[in-house]
Structures are given as C-alpha cells and as structure tokens.
Amino acid sequence: MSHKRIPKRRAAMAAGGVVALGAAAILLPNANASQDGGSSDDAAAAPRTLKAADASDLAARLAGLLGDTFAGSYYDSGAQQLVVNVVPGDNNQVVVQAEKAGAEVREVDNSMGELRSGAQTLKAEASIPGTSWAIDPRTNKILVTADSTVTGDRWDRLESTVDGLGSGMATVRKSAGTFKTFASGGDAIFGGGARCSLGFNVTAGDGSPAFLTAGHCGVAADQWSDAQGGQPIATVDQAVFPGEGDFALVRYDDPATQAPSEVNLGDQTLPISGAAEAAVGQEVFRMGSTTGLADGQVLGLDATVNYPEGTVTGLIQTDVCAEPGDSGGSLFTQDGLAIGLTSGGSGDCTVGGETFFQPVTTALEAVGATLGGEDGGAGAGDAGDGGAGAGDAGDGGAGAGDAGDGGAGAGDAGDGGAGAGDAGDGGAGAGDAGDGAAVGGGDGSGLTG
C-alpha cells in the first residue's frame, strides 16, 4: 500500500493520508438520508426515524426521564429507530412519554443498576489481562470477551465470576486474537520508534492548533513527526493511558500550522463538523494509517479492556477491524461527526475482531479542546464562509459535542488503572521498531512496535 506524506505546515490528515481501500465510495452518498418521520399527534406514539446522533441525544434525555426504569438503549440502524429498554413496574406514564418522544419501548429483565453492579463485580474479581466487558443493551446482558491468552486457571476464574452474577446477567465469548494496543513501526505519525495515526485536529484551550491521538501513543514519545526519521512537528501536551481512557493532546510546534477539521480519505476529504456520543447499533467508519478506511457497528459503551499494559475504562466497543499502526486514528459517522480514537483490540482486517475506541467527547472535555463547528477549528484554512473542507465546517455542526452524557446503554464498568504501563525498552518480539517500541510490555504482548 502506498502512503502519502503529511505536508509539514498543513498536517491536516486525520488518518495519515492513506489510500482508502475502496471504501470511500460507500461513505459519502446519502449522508443526510434519514429524516425525522411524522409530526401529527396521531403518529406521536409510533417510533420515529432518526439519525444515529439524534437517537443518542434522545436516549440521554429519556434516561433522565425514565430514571430507575431505564435499562439502556440502542440504535436500530435498519429501521433508523431508537429502542429503549425498561424494567417492568409502575411506570406506565413515563413509558407513554418515551413512546411519544419517538422511541420504541421494550420491557427487559435486568435493570441498569443490576448490570452496572455486575460490571463492578467483574472489575473486582476478574480484571484479567486479555478480558473486556461492556453492557450490551440489545441482549440486556453484560458482554464479556476473553482473548486467546485467557486459559487454564484464568479462564476458570473468569467463568466462575460470570456464573456468580446469576443466570441471564452476562455472556462470555472467546476471541481468536489477543487484546493489544494498535501502535507499530512504519508510517503516518512517528515518535520514538513507534507509529500511530493522527485522530482529529482540534483547537487547544489557548487557541493553538493541536490534534488528538491515542494515549498509549502519547506516553510512547514526547515528540512526533510527519515522516519517519523527520524533524518533530508536534509535542505531547497531555496523555492518559492506562486508566480512565486512552487519549493524548499533541500540540503543533508551529502555531501557524494549518489544521482543518477533516478526515483525509485518500481520494477525498470529509469535513468534521463536531463531536458526538456513540450509540449502540450505530454505523461508524474508521480511518487509520495501516488499513485505511473500514466500517462496522458500535457494540457496547463504557467498555473496560484489560490490556497487558493495564486496565482502560470508558471505551467504545465495535466490530470495526484495525491493525498495528492504526492506533489513534479517527472513528466517525458518514455525516461528519467525530466519535472516537482507535485504542486497541484483537484480530485484524483479514479475519476481523473486536476494536475499542476512546470517545472523542470525553477526550475533548478532559484536555479542554474543541473540534470542528464547536469553536471554529485551528488554522481553518481560510475557506471563506462555509466552503467544504474549511476548518470551521460550519458554525454549529450537527450533534457537536452535545449529545448527552449517558449515551445508550452506558455501563459503569469501573475506573481501572491496574498494572500501569510496564514500558520496558523495546519488548522482546516487539516487531522491527528497534528500542522505541512505546509502551509494549516485556513479552511483546502489548504494543507490536
């Protein structure tokens, strides 16, 4: 695969400027196809057709309305409808209100409190490297995943903990691969022998241009270049990994850097108007410097992943594929909303697998930055007053960072941080990136450097 070099003063490639592997053609058409359906009082109780970002916003509002009755929600992408879970009880009035708001209401057995309690039990008793869990509102259970390293006593411990949660509370599935963060040596953005992908250009709190990438990339090296062996163009300002997230804010060294809010798909660019919360069932796209463009669905929110380097919480779980070097790359919607930053997972883009993403909204809040239509975007490229690809991408992008704070089926999966970062100095079996293989643990099971 050929890779394009990121121009030094423009460094605008939200995913390293690679060829889009033929997927771009499915991304942009029909970007605004789903519309709000029906407005008459007679149709008020019928589920409405919604865009995924609007469904996420509605889910957050209904979570507050329903209170303890709320048991998660998800987006039915086929029907373009929000499905809200409720537990049985004296809740007829609020259920009717939820239906009038346009959601499909479904009765389930497990309350959100019970599911969150189960996730806390997993955290306390089964924080085993190679495992993950997230609340799956479609099954109304906790989805527990174990990679190929979880065997013997560790498998028995996990299975016993899940059984102890009670019947109908959780399901366990095995993954053929191993959970690892997706940094590697090669192309895109480079630091200390590691290769990652740029996620989204943002404006730092002081108005200077910067970008978001994965936190495990940010702790791998302080300075990053747009060419292997090239001069640094950006310096890490903040980085979180492991612990409560996997994100880093990296400031461009040149304050005049042109950093428009867009994702480079190789043969075209997609303007990014703002950030939005993910919704379970939502279709999403990922861009990365190794594998280009890939798509899939959101499977779970507030996921906990036990990497070899430590536990990371608050992630988005998807079935979108990724490979080493894609770390930090952008997860977004077809209509230009930033959703996540590639963290890690298992498998590859040949056999598939699970991939986890840092929510962009959480990262922006933590580092005090803004993106796209939220505040104009650094170095907006002077595209006049609304030109396509302008850093501003409009002045109020749909769903720009205000899609609520709960999202569909968000499980309080704990706040992790155990086993924080055995950085080593190159990790045996750590690929060919020499002695700078970032955070990869000593046995090569972490970063593949």
Side-chain angles (χ1 to χ4, degrees):
M1 176 183 297
S2 63
H3 298 272
K4 296 180 182 178
R5 184 175 180 275
I6 306 175
K8 182 161 296 226
R9 284 182 55 88
R10 193 166 183 271
M13 307 307 146
V18 300
V19 177
L21 299 183
I26 66 171
L27 175 63
L28 297 180
N30 303 316
N32 298 308
S34 60
Q35 300 294 330
D36 212 83
S39 59
S40 70
D41 292 339
D42 292 340
R48 298 161 57 198
T49 58
L50 300 165
K51 292 181 180 179
D54 295 332
S56 182
D57 186 39
L58 177 60
R61 290 190 284 115
L62 290 180
L65 171 69
L66 293 168
D68 292 341
T69 300
F70 179 76
S73 62
Y74 64 95
Y75 182 63
D76 183 338
S77 58
Q80 296 181 313
Q81 293 171 350
L82 175 69
V83 181
V84 174
N85 295 335
V86 299
V87 290
D90 298 328
N91 49 27
N92 286 343
Q93 185 174 357
V94 290
V95 167
V96 169
Q97 288 179 306
E99 291 175 335
K100 285 185 176 180
E104 178 183 342
V105 177
R106 183 179 73 149
E107 282 196 357
V108 294
D109 294 329
N110 299 318
S111 71
M112 185 58 69
E114 290 170 330
L115 293 170
R116 287 174 175 166
S117 177
Q120 288 290 342
T121 299
L122 288 166
K123 175 194 170 188
E125 300 180 11
S127 288
I128 301 165
T131 62
S132 71
W133 51 81
I135 292 174
D136 180 2
R138 290 173 294 188
T139 62
N140 188 228
K141 296 180 182 180
I142 304 169
L143 174 61
V144 182
T145 306
D147 74 12
S148 59
T149 67
V150 182
T151 59
D153 290 343
R154 295 198 297 173
W155 170 257
D156 293 342
R157 176 179 156 198
L158 177 65
E159 195 170 41
S160 174
T161 303
V162 170
D163 289 344
L165 298 178
S167 176
M169 281 293 295
T171 58
V172 183
R173 71 180 184 188
K174 292 281 286 183
S175 173
T178 58
F179 290 156
K180 57 185 180 293
T181 47
F182 287 135
S184 181
D187 195 4
I189 58 172
F190 304 83
R195 172 171 65 96
C196 288
S197 297
L198 191 153
F200 297 99
N201 284 313
V202 298
T203 304
D206 63 358
S208 62
F211 63 83
L212 294 176
T213 189
H216 65 266
C217 299
V219 300
D222 289 333
Q223 294 185 306
W224 288 83
S225 172
D226 60 353
Q228 191 166 22
Q231 291 296 311
I233 64 165
T235 302
V236 175
D237 181 81
Q238 303 175 54
V240 174
F241 178 84
E244 296 181 8
D246 184 2
F247 57 90
L249 177 71
V250 187
R251 293 177 184 265
Y252 289 108
D253 296 332
D254 182 353
T257 296
Q258 298 294 303
S261 182
E262 63 188 25
V263 173
N264 181 9
L265 304 178
D267 57 354
Q268 59 184 303
T269 59
L270 176 69
I272 299 297
S273 60
E277 302 285 350
V280 172
Q282 177 180 15
E283 182 184 31
V284 286
F285 296 83
R286 177 200 53 76
M287 192 69 187
S289 63
T290 298
T291 57
L293 190 65
D295 69 310
Q297 281 196 346
V298 175
L299 301 179
L301 302 179
D302 206 8
T304 293
V305 186
N306 295 295
Y307 292 125
E309 298 85 7
T311 299
V312 180
T313 62
L315 301 182
I316 302 166
Q317 183 171 353
T318 77
D319 61 5
V320 184
C321 72
E323 296 183 8
D326 289 330
S327 277
S330 46
L331 184 75
F332 52 95
T333 66
Q334 66 177 0
D335 51 355
L337 293 175
I339 299 295
L341 307 166
T342 307
S343 174
S346 68
D348 55 36
C349 287
T350 299
V351 301
E354 300 83 20
T355 303
F356 301 91
F357 295 84
Q358 165 66 45
V360 169
T361 52
T362 305
L364 289 171
E365 182 179 4
V367 303
T370 54
L371 182 154
E374 293 173 346
D375 197 20
D382 299 323
D385 53 358
D392 290 28
D395 62 356
D402 62 355
D405 62 0
D412 181 10
D415 54 12
D422 181 8
D425 59 356
D432 60 359
D435 61 358
V439 207
D443 63 358
S445 61
L447 303 185
T448 56

